[in-house]
């Protein structure tokens, strides 16, 4: 059994005590992190390895973005940066094979706001490149595939506390949801929804306006599974515990278990 989680930590250095506590308590075999906001040379490897994660793959960037894979098992075939974005200077994608059993990717999809700027076309282009890369992986790999992280997409109105108020936001626009559905049409499964049909279950709550206390959230962190991985999944949950901690990230982990 492999437990794999995704978490936008909103700065690994600022949240390090919370991250280490969660790693020790939740004990995922693999943790896919987003927004680590540091380069590999300054990533807190000593503390992460002390928690049992001796194998890491990091695609970092100073002060912004950055993704990582932390694993209790060996990592091979590491890919840093999303293929199709050769000139992309934003660290948003890292991929690896875990213990020869499953291929995983940690993704941090661009936010895309404000919509009327170049940021939104960049988001849509990035998502199309992710779709094309995922399609290639599904054609060429025999391993189960999991692509997890902060997609900055509310797939439906059930995934946002105020659908009307958010309708024009880059996270909820029809073009954004269409790009997300294009990933699902490849044969990928939105794992949380496979287990939970109830609306208004969230993975992100803004720091402003008492959003956490009032449960005004968004479900934007997703674990997408290929067919072989979906056949092996036994559970998927949102772990709200870390969001209630002091100095918390505005996101909370999403995890699943695969019987591989």
């Amino acid at each position: 059994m492999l437990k794999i989680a995704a978490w936008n930590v909103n700065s690994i250095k600022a949240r390090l005590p919370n991250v280490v506590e969660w790693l020790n308590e939740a004990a995922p075999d693999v943790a896919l992190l987003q927004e680590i906001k540091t380069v590999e040379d300054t990533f807190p490897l000593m503390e992460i390895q002390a928690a049992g994660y001796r194998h890491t793959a990091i695609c970092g960037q100073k002060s912004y973005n950055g993704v990582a894979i932390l694993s209790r098992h060996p990592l091979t075939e590491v890919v840093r940066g999303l293929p199709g974005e050769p000139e992309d200077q934003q660290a948003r994608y890292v991929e690896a094979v875990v213990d020869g059993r499953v291929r995983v990717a940690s993704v941090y999809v661009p936010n895309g706001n404000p919509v009327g700027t170049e940021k939104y076309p960049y988001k849509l282009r990035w998502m199309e490149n992710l779709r094309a890369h995922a399609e290639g992986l599904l054609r060429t790999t025999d391993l189960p595939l999991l692509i997890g992280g902060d997609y900055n997409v509310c797939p439906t109105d059930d995934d946002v506390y105020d659908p009307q108020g958010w309708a024009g936001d880059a996270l909820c626009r029809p073009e954004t949801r269409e790009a997300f559905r294009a990933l699902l049409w490849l044969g990928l499964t939105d794992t949380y929804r496979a287990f939970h049909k109830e609306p208004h279950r969230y993975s992100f709550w803004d720091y402003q306006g008492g959003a956490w206390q009032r449960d005004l959230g968004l479900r934007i962190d997703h674990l997408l599974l290929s067919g072989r991985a979906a056949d092996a999944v036994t559970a998927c949950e949102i772990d709200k515990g870390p969001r209630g901690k002091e100095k918390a990230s505005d996101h909370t982990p999403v995890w699943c278990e695969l019987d591989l």
Side-chain angles (χ1 to χ4, degrees):
M1 191 76 72
L2 281 179
K3 183 177 182 180
I4 303 176
W7 188 12
N8 179 322
V9 295
N10 191 15
S11 174
I12 186 68
K13 293 181 181 178
R15 318 295 167 201
L16 186 59
N18 286 357
V19 171
V20 170
E21 180 182 18
W22 173 76
L23 289 172
N24 286 325
E25 291 180 355
D29 294 281
V30 181
L32 311 176
L33 304 185
Q34 299 83 49
E35 269 202 288
I36 60 173
K37 296 185 178 179
T38 188
V39 295
E40 187 167 2
D41 288 347
T42 54
F43 189 87
L45 275 176
M46 184 180 300
E47 293 87 342
I48 296 301
Q49 290 176 347
Y53 297 84
R54 296 187 298 110
H55 308 279
T56 59
I58 299 164
C59 181
Q61 181 178 342
K62 186 177 181 181
S63 303
Y64 298 96
N65 306 318
V67 288
I69 300 171
L70 317 180
S71 177
R72 296 181 181 274
H73 307 281
L75 298 176
T76 57
E77 300 184 35
V78 174
V79 176
R80 293 177 176 85
L82 179 63
E85 291 282 347
E87 299 178 5
D88 192 357
Q89 300 302 307
Q90 299 187 23
R92 295 182 174 276
Y93 184 90
V94 64
E95 170 191 315
V97 172
V98 179
D99 198 31
R101 289 194 279 171
V102 60
R103 186 181 300 273
V104 302
S106 178
V107 300
Y108 179 40
V109 174
N111 179 282
N113 286 302
V115 170
T117 70
E118 72 284 353
K119 293 184 177 181
Y120 192 57
Y122 170 57
K123 176 191 185 87
L124 296 179
R125 186 182 74 246
W126 203 95
M127 293 185 72
E128 167 55 24
N129 285 330
L130 177 62
R131 187 208 62 78
H133 181 58
E135 183 177 28
L137 290 177
L138 291 169
R139 280 201 316 265
T140 58
T141 185
D142 291 330
L143 290 174
L145 173 67
L146 182 153
I147 305 175
D150 179 359
Y151 280 79
N152 271 313
V153 177
C154 297
T156 73
D157 283 353
D158 286 347
D159 302 305
V160 54
Y161 72 91
D162 178 10
Q164 185 174 356
W166 281 78
D169 192 273
L171 279 61
C172 299
R173 285 180 62 89
E175 301 94 328
T176 303
R177 290 175 170 176
E178 182 180 351
F180 187 80
R181 287 195 301 271
L183 286 166
L184 302 183
W185 289 338
L186 294 175
L188 298 176
T189 295
D190 179 351
T191 312
Y192 185 77
R193 277 287 173 242
F195 287 88
H196 301 276
K197 306 301 184 185
E198 65 273 18
H200 307 301
R201 296 295 184 264
Y202 308 128
S203 63
F204 167 90
W205 298 261
D206 194 83
Y207 291 127
Q208 305 299 317
W212 165 246
Q213 293 78 6
R214 299 164 63 197
D215 197 27
L216 305 180
L218 310 171
R219 191 176 74 91
I220 57 177
D221 303 273
H222 310 295
L223 303 175
L224 301 190
L225 299 185
S226 69
R228 286 195 62 192
D231 287 344
V233 69
T234 60
C236 183
E237 299 289 345
I238 296 172
D239 181 357
K240 294 174 67 174
R243 184 60 180 87
K245 302 286 187 180
E246 289 189 22
K247 298 183 178 179
S249 169
D250 42 8
H251 295 250
T252 209
V254 181
W255 61 266
C256 71
E257 288 185 337
L258 302 178
D259 189 3
L260 296 172

